[in-house]
Amino acid sequence: MEKLWNGNYLKVMAANFSLFFAFYLLTPLLPIYLKEYFSANKDMIGLVLSGYTITALICRPFSGYLVDGFDRKKMLLFFYFLFFVFFAGYIVAGSLLLFAIVRTLHGGAFGGLTVANSTAAIDVLPSSRRNEGIGFYGLSNNLAMALAPSIGILIYDLTDDFELLFWVALVVAGIGLCIDNTVVLPKNERFEKKNKISFDRFFLVRGWLLAVNVIFFGFCFGVLHNYLAIYSKETMGITGGTGVFFLLLSIGLIVSRIQGAKSLRGGNLTRHASLGLLFSTIGYCLFVFCPNAIGYYLSPLLIGLGNGHIWPAFLNMIINLAEHNQRGTANSTLLVSWDVGVGIGVLLGGVLSEHFNYSTTFWAVAFAQVAGSLLFLFATKSFFLQRKIGRV
């Protein structure tokens, strides 16, 4: 059996950890920062935060095109450098407008970088271990999610200094950039010039229903990740539990990634996804049905277990619908759909909480999760099985 844990794969994972650590360090606290430092209301918080996701969404299809059509190493370093630099923008942004501009532009760099780095991971994996390797690759995201929010909240509680948090994120992103600079990537198979303007180079048409399905799950996560801290404080009276919540969520993600490796190795993608949907749906429903400490701390474990199965299954499925020279496009298509869902979640979450309350917002999350699960079981599953190319 070919070696899974090669040096380049480990480097790409480490760079991915740095990327998401820097991202998750700030995300749960930004609504509080906007409220306290710029006196932004709930609608404005949702609008400012959604700009990041919107530009990531817009840039993903073009980044997939660039990653497939040009030197992947150069594209990877270009996007990572932009991602790194924009953290400095938060430090100098002295007004809400300037902060919103920096945050919005930062989303474009994030969108391109996540496509480039995950495509690099696929390139350095042996083909016989790709399903399994993609599952383990997500551990770097999950570990970052486990550590970064808790560390960010701890730093804020101890120092009450958001500028320090921005500096920490900047340094961590710089470390990731240095790591990716040492990665050796194989030359990618570039597509022919006559096909450069083809729509299928920006969006994998063969995987459109998978993309639609992921929007539902992105919506749920967008609301959860951006509004949990405020919901916990204002509705449930839990002021110090946000870090623990994300830690438990990450534990669930990590356990499911490790436990699901055998299933992914065997190619049981639809069964893997179905199991994840079951766990996540129970978790989100528990969160809204039991607005107490038991529901608050048990639900993230279940949601983590579910999402840790769902994402690698869907990513492998859409890659199995793509040709070898469309890996970047397949990656960007799935990430675009996730961004659409997250963006809708951030924007609609702000509107719902402003005009109703946070409880109504999270009821909408539970409904979206159930709807997405039913869509997969009754339509997306057969859609994939009929269209897969049949090779890893």
Side-chain angles (χ1 to χ4, degrees), residues 113-373:
L113 176 55
T114 47
V115 170
N117 209 70
S118 58
T119 305
I122 295 168
D123 280 347
V124 299
L125 281 167
S127 59
S128 65
R129 309 292 297 274
R130 188 166 295 133
N131 285 353
E132 181 185 5
I134 289 173
F136 279 124
Y137 175 76
L139 281 173
S140 53
N141 301 21
N142 304 151
L143 287 170
M145 186 190 298
L147 298 173
S150 299
I151 292 174
I153 291 168
L154 177 63
I155 292 173
Y156 176 68
D157 287 342
L158 292 176
T159 67
D160 196 28
D161 187 352
F162 271 98
E163 183 173 332
L164 176 60
L165 284 168
F166 296 146
W167 274 108
V168 173
L170 177 69
V171 170
V172 172
I175 292 171
L177 173 61
C178 294
I179 293 172
D180 257 347
N181 188 48
T182 66
V183 173
V184 178
L185 296 179
K187 292 292 182 181
N188 51 301
E189 301 173 25
R190 302 182 185 184
F191 48 80
E192 298 295 329
K193 288 185 179 180
K194 64 181 181 181
N195 292 330
K196 278 189 175 181
I197 311 302
S198 170
F199 179 70
D200 202 42
R201 292 302 177 183
F202 298 92
F203 181 87
L204 192 69
V205 178
R206 286 177 60 85
W208 71 268
L209 188 55
L210 274 79
V212 170
N213 210 157
V214 168
I215 290 174
F216 287 87
F217 310 133
F219 170 84
C220 298
F221 198 79
V223 174
L224 182 72
H225 208 271
N226 284 276
Y227 297 104
L228 177 71
I230 291 181
Y231 171 76
S232 303
K233 183 177 181 179
E234 295 188 1
T235 304
M236 301 183 69
I238 298 175
T239 57
T242 306
V244 177
F245 185 98
F246 284 113
L247 177 62
L248 293 171
L249 178 68
S250 300
I251 290 172
L253 286 165
I254 292 166
V255 169
S256 65
R257 295 277 188 173
I258 297 172
Q259 181 271 329
K262 183 178 180 180
S263 174
L264 287 172
R265 194 184 310 140
N268 300 314
L269 300 180
T270 56
R271 189 174 71 182
H272 199 79
S274 299
L275 180 62
L277 292 172
L278 175 63
F279 279 121
S280 286
T281 302
I282 294 174
Y284 279 114
C285 291
L286 178 66
F287 185 80
V288 295
F289 276 113
C290 301
N292 52 43
I294 295 175
Y296 187 85
Y297 291 115
L298 180 57
S299 59
L301 278 172
L302 294 171
I303 295 170
L305 285 170
N307 282 10
H309 282 81
I310 292 170
W311 184 257
F314 269 79
L315 183 54
N316 274 298
M317 281 191 284
I318 202 164
I319 288 171
N320 278 318
L321 296 179
E323 299 294 344
H324 288 303
N325 64 348
Q326 290 181 303
R327 289 173 181 167
T329 304
N331 264 305
S332 68
T333 298
L334 203 66
L335 290 168
V336 161
S337 61
W338 180 263
D339 287 341
V340 170
V342 170
I344 294 173
V346 173
L347 195 58
L348 188 58
V351 173
L352 287 174
S353 61
E354 179 73 23
H355 297 285
F356 297 95
N357 51 52
Y358 283 111
S359 294
T360 301
T361 303
F362 281 95
W363 273 104
V365 168
F367 176 81
Q369 176 65 32
V370 171
S373 299

Side-chain angles (χ1 to χ4, degrees), residues 91-110:
I91 299 172
V92 300
S95 68
L96 182 60
L97 176 61
L98 186 56
F99 183 92
I101 292 172
V102 172
R103 182 69 178 170
T104 300
L105 293 175
H106 202 180
F110 176 80

Side-chain angles (χ1 to χ4, degrees), residues 42-54:
K42 295 173 184 176
D43 280 338
M44 184 57 65
I45 290 172
L47 184 63
V48 171
L49 295 181
S50 66
Y52 189 96
T53 305
I54 290 170

Side-chain angles (χ1 to χ4, degrees), residues 1-12:
M1 185 176 291
E2 295 177 282
K3 183 179 179 181
L4 173 62
W5 301 101
N6 62 74
N8 285 313
Y9 177 58
L10 291 172
K11 289 177 183 178
V12 172

